[in-house]
Amino acid sequence: MTPTRVLVLNSGSSSVKYQLIDMADRSRLAVGLAERIGEETSALHHEPLAGGGGKRERHGRLADHDAALEAIAEELAADGMGLDSPELAVIGHRVVHGGLKLTVPTLVDDAVLKEIERLIPVAPLHNPANVTGIRTAQRLRPDLPQVAVFDTAFHSAMPEHAARYAIDVETADAHRVRRYGFHGTSHAYVSRKAAELLGKDPSEVNLIVLHLGNGASASAVRGGRCEDTSMGLTPLEGLVMGTRSGDIDPAVVFHLGRVAGMSMDEVDELLNKRSGLLGLCGDNDMRQIRRRMAEGDAAARLAFDIYIHRLKKYIGAYYAVLGTVDAVVFTAGVGENSAPVREAAVAGLEELGLAVDGELNAAGGKEARLISPSYARVKVAVVPTDEELEIAEQSYALVASR
Ligand code: AMP
């Protein structure tokens, strides 16, 4: 029997998300989340999707990622889908930063782990958790291939003129300061699905992909390759996000240091965790912001307007980068669910060939769909992202090709 199952692990700083996917029919066998790892209030939410059984919860401290992964393995085992199962082909890990060297899905060995660790200074929140996740999985199933799929990979095709900051080259190179981009697995998956929706090969279409979740990023994709993306050295650059500022004059950092006496760490925390929609109006959930706007809340209105203004600037910029655009594609929590955001982002861009059909936009749904009127020169689409499936596809393809 050829094993066809892939366990996808997405280890964050205090959480592990997981999905067990059967590549024979791309079905999900189990999904779950271990959260608040390291705290007294840790929880594990586990849902077997094959063979019934229903959701299960575990509460109580999960000391570290090791403990979390062991608990996950136990839950899977209780459903007869444990890590020792002969049907498991590979464990696929989401790894946030692959730098310049790790640009394709990669079978993990010691040298690869070292390289992921070497990149910790440019991804201090994510790469350590990714390394721990891989090490624990290796300990639990030493004989099983582990594949790392990098968030930065899709953007490694970016031309030098988009990837470099205009700073002294020697300093930049000495410290690996350049634009890497993130959410790459999502941008890759969504680009491919959008091409499918347009009935074309990915190599034939130019797309502006807007991944609007709690983190948010835009990409200009020409013929299936990334030409530019809005996140940079870290996920802080670009669009207004849930809690991150996105683009800002770097002199704001010096100013806050000199005038407000803030330390580097304090400014880092301000821009990453207390800015964006949250900093502007006290809420980072678009649903809540829309509710407040309906009640006439001025701060929520302004936060929304700033968010849309930035989004529009990127649509315009990437239109210019690509020259011709086949579709603007919305994805992730806000992009998939917020009709008002989609409508506002495209409003007034008719001269660029862009328009949204009110009814199609409001209709909702879980499938990839067009929301532009038939006459629109540039299509507008909603394409639900599925980073876990993409990681599973890439991991499985790698082990199947060995
Ligand atoms: P993600 O990071 O892709 O999981 O997206 C999470 C964000 O999506 C949340 O913080 C909300 O702002 C947004 N979101 C989720 N559902 C909706 C919805 N129905 N309408 C508007 N925004 C939503």
Side-chain angles (χ1 to χ4, degrees):
M1 178 186 64
T2 313
T4 54
R5 294 180 179 175
V6 183
L7 178 63
V8 177
L9 291 179
N10 180 352
S11 306
S13 52
S14 65
S15 68
V16 178
K17 279 190 233 159
Y18 61 97
Q19 291 196 3
L20 183 65
I21 301 177
D22 193 337
M23 298 312 286
D25 58 2
R26 268 107 189 126
S27 63
R28 265 156 249 240
L29 304 176
V31 300
L33 164 72
E35 59 181 350
R36 295 188 294 280
I37 295 169
E39 295 178 33
E40 291 308 320
T41 57
S42 309
L44 173 59
H45 311 274
H46 176 81
E47 186 175 6
L49 300 171
K55 286 185 193 177
R56 298 199 295 274
E57 306 258 333
R58 271 198 198 196
H59 294 278
R61 185 160 192 266
L62 296 164
D64 49 25
H65 284 70
D66 245 28
L69 213 50
E70 271 176 25
I72 291 167
E74 282 169 22
E75 292 298 334
L76 288 167
D79 297 320
M81 303 186 284
L83 292 195
D84 55 352
S85 155
E87 287 158 284
L88 193 57
V90 54
I91 301 183
H93 298 265
R94 174 188 182 216
V95 177
V96 166
H97 216 309
L100 284 178
K101 290 192 185 151
L102 300 171
T103 58
V104 290
T106 305
L107 210 55
V108 177
D109 59 16
D110 284 349
V112 171
L113 259 180
K114 274 215 183 78
E115 181 61 19
I116 299 170
E117 275 178 328
R118 206 175 65 88
L119 291 162
I120 287 176
V122 283
L125 294 179
H126 296 100
N127 273 30
N130 301 153
V131 169
T132 312
I134 294 172
R135 283 200 198 288
T136 310
Q138 280 179 328
R139 189 171 56 70
L140 293 173
R141 261 308 290 274
D143 58 313
L144 200 66
Q146 316 267 336
V147 171
V149 177
F150 303 95
D151 248 26
T152 44
F154 182 64
H155 307 303
S156 66
M158 262 196 295
E160 248 344 65
H161 57 250
R164 279 211 177 259
Y165 291 110
I167 64 170
D168 170 66
V169 171
E170 271 180 39
T171 310
D173 288 351
H175 301 287
R176 298 194 288 264
V177 176
R178 60 186 284 121
R179 309 187 59 254
Y180 295 96
F182 298 88
H183 291 145
T185 308
S186 175
H187 284 280
Y189 176 84
V190 167
S191 303
R192 235 183 27 247
K193 288 280 159 193
E196 231 171 72
L197 182 68
L198 298 174
K200 298 206 170 146
D201 190 80
S203 65
E204 298 170 337
V205 291
N206 289 354
L207 305 169
I208 297 173
V209 179
L210 304 169
H211 176 111
L212 310 177
N214 200 25
S217 61
S219 280
V221 182
R222 185 193 302 281
R225 289 166 67 85
C226 176
E227 189 110 338
D228 200 355
T229 194
S230 59
M231 285 178 166
L233 173 74
T234 76
L236 183 54
E237 193 179 339
L239 299 172
V240 176
M241 312 183 208
T243 66
R244 296 187 203 125
S245 63
D247 293 337
I248 201 163
D249 180 347
V252 169
V253 178
F254 324 136
H255 181 78
L256 289 175
R258 290 179 192 131
V259 175
M262 290 173 76
S263 68
M264 285 283 190
D265 285 346
E266 284 169 340
V267 179
D268 190 331
E269 197 256 351
L270 170 78
L271 297 181
N272 273 294
K273 303 205 171 134
R274 289 192 290 124
S275 296
L277 294 170
L278 182 73
L280 287 166
C281 75
D283 272 306
N284 62 337
D285 192 313
M286 191 53 81
R287 287 164 287 199
Q288 181 60 10
I289 290 170
R290 293 296 305 174
R291 279 194 280 274
R292 285 173 54 186
M293 284 168 71
E295 291 160 4
D297 186 313
R301 168 92 249 169
L302 182 58
F304 183 85
D305 288 348
I306 294 169
Y307 182 96
I308 296 296
H309 179 69
R310 185 84 53 86
L311 200 48
K312 245 184 197 161
K313 286 212 285 195
Y314 270 91
I315 294 173
Y318 287 173
Y319 206 121
V321 163
L322 292 170
T324 60
V325 177
D326 295 282
V328 171
V329 189
F330 288 89
T331 193
V334 177
E336 289 167 31
N337 295 301
S338 181
V341 164
R342 296 190 296 256
E343 185 188 336
V346 171
L349 302 184
E350 292 82 6
E351 279 294 313
L352 298 181
L354 278 159
V356 156
D357 177 287
E359 263 180 44
L360 292 176
N361 189 32
K366 288 271 160 249
E367 299 300 314
R369 60 198 185 275
L370 290 178
I371 57 166
S372 43
S374 53
Y375 63 79
R377 211 161 19 89
V378 178
K379 307 294 176 215
V380 182
V382 179
V383 176
T385 192
D386 195 338
E387 288 165 284
E388 285 78 14
L389 181 60
E390 180 72 7
I391 292 170
E393 296 273 9
Q394 297 196 4
S395 304
Y396 190 67
L398 186 62
V399 292
S401 71
R402 287 195 310 159

